[in-house]
Amino acid sequence: MSVDEKFLADLPKVELHLHIEGTLEPEMVFELARRHNVTLPWPDVGALKKAYDFENLQSFLDLYYRGADVLRDEQDFFDLTWAYLERCKAQNVVHTEIFFDPQTHTDRGIPFENVIHGITRALEKAGQELGITSGLILCFLRHLSEEAAFETLKQAEPYRDSILGIGLDSSEQGHPPEKFARVFAEARSQGYKIVAHAGEEGPPEYIWQAIELLDVDRIDHGVRAAEDPRLMAFLERKGMPLTVCPNSNIRLRVFDTMEDHNLKDLLAAGLKVTLNSDDPAYFGGYMLENFAAVQTALALSREEWLAITYNSIDASFATPERKAELLDMVESMAG
Ligand code: HPA
Ligand code: ZN
């Protein structure tokens, strides 16, 4: 049977690499700016969208942090998260593990609790009303100091039960995982799952460091592993998941075109590849738009799509019971 739009739409999806601040659609930027009487540097939604022409990760992050300035109250974080979860429902995303960047907000004087209460309230509602299960992963901003990361980990303590894991994001080059080895050791000792962005723009060496110094459960992105055959063999042997984000990689010019993307090679090498949307409001769409763009350019087989879906279930931090349910959903659809 061929892979068509209906197959991709019907596939039960698991998302493992999604920055909630990256789901802030331009229309919501303007809505929240009105709510809080914030003057924006763009005259209208069209002008903001025109700015979404990125040269690299940093040029995106500059805009992303500016956009996030309109997020202030608990209700804003609820509205943001709920809008994403409604998109999940529409696209058959049945389990999602969401990153949030508390330092982007606390450094502007927004209380940590506004952020976490708003997000968790939406996640709980989605569990009850939409049947979507989820987890929350707190990311340290790697362009900030180790000390600031320790402070953020401390702020998270009262919310330990609401947070599944700790991650590492923001400007990769020049901020290797080793900078955060001690704070990740502390996070690990508190029982958190560990993930880190590595090998998006940074070299394979950063992927080695994430594994050897941070003891990660998954690598976020990791596409530059392909430059190091020894690393490729190691990732395959360990079954280390990679949360690959195709549209993000094109928009941030990690690859020139989707035809040049290496995800098929990573899959063929036996790596545990998963596909994800990263910052969908900025990179041209959510899970289904990513799947469709990959299919148009790379024409994956039905077996490859099922393998990606099984990889995502396996690599998720869902409970064994939920993983069994997710597997049943895929099997009943795969026939
Ligand atoms: N890379 C690093 N940091 C980020 C990203 C990303 O793709 N998205 C949001 N913060
Ligand atoms: Zn990311």
Side-chain angles (χ1 to χ4, degrees):
M1 211 197 295
S2 72
V3 173
D4 55 15
E5 272 175 38
K6 180 167 166 22
F7 174 82
L8 295 179
D10 288 349
L11 206 51
K13 299 171 192 71
V14 168
E15 175 140 71
L16 303 178
H17 185 151
L18 180 281
H19 302 262
I20 198 62
E21 295 89 348
T23 68
L24 181 57
E25 292 285 343
E27 291 76 11
M28 195 181 276
V29 172
F30 277 82
E31 188 187 318
L32 295 180
R34 269 194 302 278
R35 191 182 282 181
H36 298 300
N37 276 319
V38 175
T39 308
L40 294 169
W42 313 280
D44 52 39
V45 167
L48 174 53
K49 282 186 182 168
K50 276 213 185 82
Y52 291 5
D53 181 18
F54 309 114
E55 280 160 31
N56 52 31
L57 175 58
Q58 192 59 51
S59 67
F60 154 69
L61 290 170
D62 293 343
L63 193 76
Y64 167 83
Y65 295 131
R66 248 157 102 180
D69 182 42
V70 297
L71 295 163
R72 309 243 165 138
D73 300 340
E74 177 185 330
Q75 189 63 36
D76 304 339
F77 288 94
F78 174 86
D79 292 346
L80 176 73
T81 310
W82 186 250
Y84 163 67
L85 292 161
E86 287 188 314
R87 303 250 192 186
C88 286
K89 184 70 185 170
Q91 297 196 347
N92 228 355
V93 175
V94 289
H95 177 83
T96 180
E97 296 178 7
I98 296 177
F99 298 133
F100 75 118
D101 289 341
Q103 289 158 297
T104 299
H105 314 298
T106 53
D107 284 4
R108 299 182 286 118
I110 309 299
F112 190 98
E113 68 214 52
N114 287 17
V115 183
I116 193 139
H117 285 162
I119 297 172
T120 52
R121 190 154 59 82
L123 295 179
E124 282 164 17
K125 184 172 152 88
Q128 289 155 7
E129 297 180 14
L130 307 178
I132 297 170
T133 49
S134 58
L136 196 51
I137 299 173
L138 180 161
C139 285
F140 300 134
L141 298 182
R142 67 203 304 159
H143 67 276
L144 300 179
S145 67
E146 178 199 43
E147 189 189 355
F150 268 113
E151 174 61 25
T152 304
L153 190 61
K154 187 136 196 64
Q155 284 179 318
E157 266 173 26
Y159 309 101
R160 178 66 193 84
D161 292 346
S162 304
I163 304 173
L164 201 55
I166 302 290
L168 184 65
D169 66 2
S170 190
S171 320
E172 187 180 7
Q173 309 245 40
H175 301 285
E178 65 181 343
K179 180 176 164 187
F180 298 96
R182 289 183 296 197
V183 68
F184 273 91
E186 173 60 27
R188 173 67 83 190
S189 78
Q190 292 180 21
Y192 287 108
K193 299 286 187 189
I194 303 294
V195 300
H197 284 53
E200 177 187 18
E201 282 190 345
E205 168 60 19
Y206 287 15
I207 303 176
W208 282 116
Q209 285 189 14
I211 293 166
E212 291 173 346
L213 304 179
L214 307 189
D215 193 17
V216 291
D217 296 291
R218 302 193 293 245
I219 293 286
D220 294 316
H221 292 294
V223 291
R224 286 195 60 191
E227 296 166 29
D228 179 343
R230 198 169 65 84
L231 178 58
M232 289 289 282
F234 183 86
L235 294 172
E236 193 270 333
R237 201 165 62 246
K238 291 283 176 190
M240 176 63 70
L242 303 185
T243 63
V244 174
C245 304
N247 277 343
S248 165
N249 291 155
I250 306 311
R251 293 297 184 102
L252 300 186
R253 308 196 190 190
V254 173
F255 299 95
D256 290 337
T257 70
M258 196 64 89
E259 285 75 9
D260 299 319
H261 200 290
N262 67 2
L263 70 94
K264 242 179 141 149
D265 304 331
L266 299 174
L267 263 180
L271 268 53
K272 199 172 281 180
V273 172
T274 71
L275 295 189
N276 310 275
S277 73
D278 207 5
D279 299 285
Y282 293 88
F283 299 150
Y286 292 76
M287 284 286 269
L288 185 55
E289 287 81 15
N290 272 273
F291 282 27
V294 165
Q295 189 57 16
T296 301
L298 299 172
L300 303 193
S301 66
R302 192 181 157 88
E303 289 67 34
E304 285 170 315
W305 282 111
L306 291 173
I308 288 166
T309 305
Y310 288 129
N311 287 345
S312 299
I313 295 170
D314 187 43
S316 79
F317 301 138
T319 62
E321 297 74 27
R322 182 60 175 160
K323 284 190 182 189
E325 283 176 9
L326 297 170
L327 284 173
D328 281 349
M329 286 182 206
V330 181
E331 271 152 23
S332 65
M333 177 269 173

